[in-house]
Amino acid sequence: MHTNKRHIAILGSTGSIGTQALDVISRHTDMFEVELLTANNNAALLIEQARRFRPNNVVICNKDLYDTVNEALAKEDVKVFAGMESVNALVQGSNVDIVLASMVGFSGLEPTINAIKAGKVIALANKETLVAAGSIVTRLAREYNSPIIPVDSEHSAIFQCLQGEHTRIEKLILTASGGPFRNWSKEDIAKATRVQALNHPNWDMGAKVTIDSASMMNKGLEMIEASWLFNMSPDDIEIVVHPQSIVHSMVQFTDGCLKAQLGAPDMRVPIQYALSYPERVSLDTKRLSFAEVARLDFFAPDSTRFPAIDLAYSAHRVGGNMACIMNGANEVAVDAFLKDRILFCRIPEIIEKTMEKATFVPLPDIDDIYASHQQAKEIALSLI
Ligand code: MG
């Protein structure tokens, strides 16, 4: 049945972005309809979401959980599938208008590419997609007329600042909260625990991105993401620490004018904007009181205490598959840290060593990207 509603596929619906997207959708049922939900392992929540939002299709990626999900939804008008191959096929379905790519890590790349090839609107929350394969993904998006709308708060801020602008951008300024270790010494950061690293001051996010925020690799990944999204050289992207997380990022134009997007830190804002774009719809997010905020602080990032930032700049400047190698090593190192297998200070060390050892490919195709990711993971694992 045809309706004017936007039909949404959410890849990673049980994660932090996915659940907040469903919260947004539940407030605008006149505008959005859920077509597809996918989850890796959280069968219980996927079942609950399917009962509430009644998508046509759900996919549980872990095939061992197929029977659980299928039996639980037997009486619902929902088709149940399992495995990544089902995600890759269903994102291309004619009922899907917008694909919210909110899977964690490199695994988001393949379904995003498939959605692009079907010309879907991509609401991109998975930054690793552009970090690992930015040249390929942006080329495919142009070729298949698939718009990429950023969901990451910084990139959404820049995207919002660029509405109505047609002139050259001089500089992008990415703001960073600085994470939980902003004021910690190098020695204390070195032996920080998992619980300390997961305690982000401003943003409520998944474990991977929260650890990346603590190491500030998140800002490095976002710099690369911004470079691809807005076609900017890394030399023209500045990172500035802004502990209040009120200014979500800024754009500087050739006349010296700056535009910034501000608001209380709430991921539902950029998620909703990506889904409702070019329209803006209401949201009950906290309103800013400038008298209450009183001051906004900005500092240069400290690359001695947070070496991940420089690793990201150098990987992106080298180009080719180097950012893919960096990202693969980071995924392994973060996972090892979350399992208490390495100290926090070893995350950037492992990344740097992996970047030195992995095979450099100057003009990678998609197979090179998959191979580089695999090789980077193996090298990083051997260093743990
Ligand atoms: Mg962000």
Side-chain angles (χ1 to χ4, degrees), residues 127 152-154 218-219 222:
K127 61 195 79 180
D152 217 343
S153 61
E154 296 78 1
N218 184 51
K219 215 48 57 177
E222 289 180 353

Side-chain angles (χ1 to χ4, degrees), residues 191-242:
K191 50 185 197 298
T193 66
R194 181 164 47 90
V195 176
Q196 289 167 328
L198 284 172
N199 182 27
H200 196 278
N202 302 345
W203 293 100
D204 174 18
M205 307 177 291
K208 163 74 170 45
V209 60
T210 306
I211 300 302
D212 285 343
S213 293
S215 70
M216 291 199 72
M217 177 50 89
N218 184 51
K219 215 48 57 177
L221 299 174
E222 289 180 353
M223 180 277 295
I224 299 172
E225 184 186 10
S227 172
W228 288 116
L229 277 171
F230 305 110
N231 195 21
M232 295 290 287
S233 152
D235 302 334
D236 299 324
I237 306 176
E238 182 185 342
I239 294 170
V240 65
V241 175
H242 166 48

Side-chain angles (χ1 to χ4, degrees), residues 302-343:
D302 180 348
S303 56
T304 314
R305 289 183 301 133
F306 301 100
I309 295 176
D310 285 352
L311 288 176
Y313 273 100
S314 63
H316 193 42
R317 285 189 177 113
V318 167
N321 63 339
M322 193 54 86
C324 174
I325 293 165
M326 177 194 77
N327 178 66
N330 182 53
E331 289 194 15
V332 168
V334 169
D335 184 62
F337 175 74
L338 282 170
K339 289 173 177 151
D340 295 323
R341 292 180 60 203
I342 58 167
L343 285 174

